Amino acid sequence: MTDSSFLRGRKLEDVVMEAVAGGVTMVQLREKNLSTNDFIQLAQRLKARLHGIGVPLIINDRIDVALAVDADGVHIGQSDMPYEMARKLLGKRKIIGLSVESFADIERANKLDVDYIGVSPVFATPTKTDTAKPFGIEGLKKAVEMSLHPTVGIGGMNQQTAAEVMSTGTDGMAVVSAIMGVDDPRRAAKEIAPLNLPPVGGGIAVEAMTPLQLPKVLTIAGSDSGGGAGIQADIKAISATGSYAASAITAVTVQNTLGVEAVCPVPTDIIAAQIKAVLTDIGADAIKIGMLHAAEVVHVVSESIKGRNNIVLDPVMVSTSGHRLIEESAIATLKNELIPIARVITPNIPEAEILTGERITCQADLRKAARMLSVNGKVSVMMKAGHLSDESVVDVFYNAEEDAVIELKSLRIISRNTHGTGCTLSSAFASYLAQGLDLNDAAKAAKEYISQAIEAAKNLKIGNGHGPVDHFFGCRL
């Protein structure tokens, strides 16, 4: 269970993902002091991070927020919306947990088809000050015996109490401060999780999670033998952000952190066949396009994906080491055939200068370039500001569907490990669109992801040149 009062400057999503990496199997978002809008935005970000890894997101109390973000379920208390109304609103496939504060509450819950009950509190705890008299271990044992539903102990759960609590036969326990309130939530979760496993045949049946349907992203790009950019970076970013990655390779590059030594094109009929193979079987909720080195490649790709939605185009032209990756003749084809069918394009400043024919030297130029590249307001544009010299990096996102501009600000991170940042950002953007986020939320989530990946990689030593970002920063042991 989350509690933002324990964050101490950390991002809630990061703490949660660390805890999940340590063994947490369900997350309950519990925020008492956020506005509805802020609560929804936080829930969307957290859902995007959890999506596809089998960890349900439960919203505490707020049925409206659960509905808004299509969470896996809700947890309600005795003074919240009546269970019958909550079930009618959410439907039969969502998880609903109900807190019980007395044995009489358990008897009443036995007449309901709740998915689990939260026995609250087992012990007195500073995170729940408005509760009834604690059940204690003996009371929890009795609750487990009485209940017709799976039980979860709430209140005072930590490393010291876990073994005794689980010895009562309860199916699980809800932990707040023992994970949220420590410096290393992953380690804390690892210490508690082995004691918090349900018995064979027990636990909570989560019908909504089976069969598991992952959002699917097809990436069409070149291969980077160094693993930092191209298809390799795309697959890492798509996977790390919770989607399934399929690929069509347009070229094989010979490269490492020091630069590109050679490029070997893949025949266009093989490119088209790869795309067809993926789309006719696996499908794609979003398509990310990267390195297309020649005009005939641009043409075959545009023909192969016509009519598809959620196309994110990263107009790759020059590698981080300065190697030209696109033929001059391909640029016109890119502008005429591919950009107009994209939903989003994500150029950096050098790429935008080539596409617009104009110099970009300041923040105001980014807004102008974004609108110039929008094909008369039909294509959304994420203008990346990394090549400016400002202390902060303020990317500009022009949402063509709303005809509005938002600025996405982050501190500039000084690092040599920036290989593949463009591939990573655009892939994350496509992944979040595949998961159903709207344009602005997907842009914000992708910006947050790449910023964290750069920050996490700044002290890594991979190769002797421009190293890659750390795509799996949330899963590093």
Side-chain angles (χ1 to χ4, degrees), residues 298 302 330-341:
V298 177
S302 63
I331 296 174
T333 311
L334 191 78
K335 293 169 68 174
N336 294 332
E337 296 188 23
L338 202 49
I339 290 178
I341 66 173

Side-chain angles (χ1 to χ4, degrees), residues 257-258 416-417 461-467:
T257 64
L258 297 173
R416 282 179 59 81
N417 297 328
K461 174 61 176 173
I462 298 177
N464 297 301
H466 292 285

Side-chain angles (χ1 to χ4, degrees), residues 395-410:
D395 297 337
V396 168
F397 179 59
Y398 170 62
N399 184 332
E401 294 168 23
E402 297 180 0
D403 190 26
V405 174
I406 62 173
E407 293 187 341
L408 304 170
K409 183 177 181 180
S410 63

Side-chain angles (χ1 to χ4, degrees), residues 14-36:
D14 293 341
V15 175
V16 167
M17 295 311 294
E18 285 291 304
V20 168
V24 164
T25 57
M26 181 177 283
V27 175
Q28 182 184 138
L29 184 58
R30 178 173 176 260
E31 295 298 326
K32 300 289 188 179
N33 300 313
L34 289 181
S35 68
T36 298

Side-chain angles (χ1 to χ4, degrees), residues 127-313:
T127 62
K128 291 183 73 64
T129 58
D130 57 347
T131 55
K133 180 181 177 181
F135 279 81
I137 290 297
E138 292 304 315
L140 179 58
K141 285 182 182 178
K142 183 177 178 181
V144 171
E145 293 171 359
M146 288 179 59
S147 179
L148 299 179
H149 306 294
T151 57
V152 175
I154 302 176
M157 304 294 109
N158 54 45
Q159 291 89 337
Q160 288 71 45
T161 61
E164 189 177 21
V165 167
M166 294 309 296
S167 72
T168 65
T170 188
D171 296 277
M173 54 188 176
V175 183
V176 187
S177 60
I179 291 178
M180 293 291 296
V182 300
D183 292 332
D184 191 344
R186 183 186 303 211
R187 179 177 178 180
K190 280 185 175 180
E191 292 175 353
I192 297 173
L195 303 169
N196 193 23
L197 296 175
V200 176
I204 300 166
V206 186
E207 182 184 356
M209 299 300 288
T210 55
L212 183 61
Q213 292 291 329
L214 288 176
K216 300 173 287 289
V217 180
L218 167 62
T219 170
I220 305 170
S223 170
D224 172 4
S225 54
I231 285 286
Q232 287 82 352
D234 295 348
I235 291 173
K236 293 174 188 177
I238 293 164
S239 301
T241 53
S243 298
Y244 177 81
S247 63
I249 298 176
T250 60
V252 176
T253 69
V254 178
Q255 66 174 297
N256 51 31
T257 64
L258 297 173
V260 180
E261 298 176 16
V263 177
C264 178
V266 172
T268 54
D269 61 332
I270 298 298
I271 296 173
Q274 292 178 82
I275 296 170
K276 182 179 179 181
V278 172
L279 294 180
T280 55
D281 174 36
I282 299 168
D285 300 300
I287 297 174
K288 182 266 169 151
I289 302 171
M291 175 187 167
L292 307 177
H293 56 284
E296 59 267 26
V297 175
V298 177
H299 177 71
V300 77
V301 168
S302 63
E303 287 297 312
S304 298
I305 63 172
K306 272 185 178 177
R308 295 282 172 170
N309 298 319
N310 285 338
I311 297 171
V312 178
L313 170 64

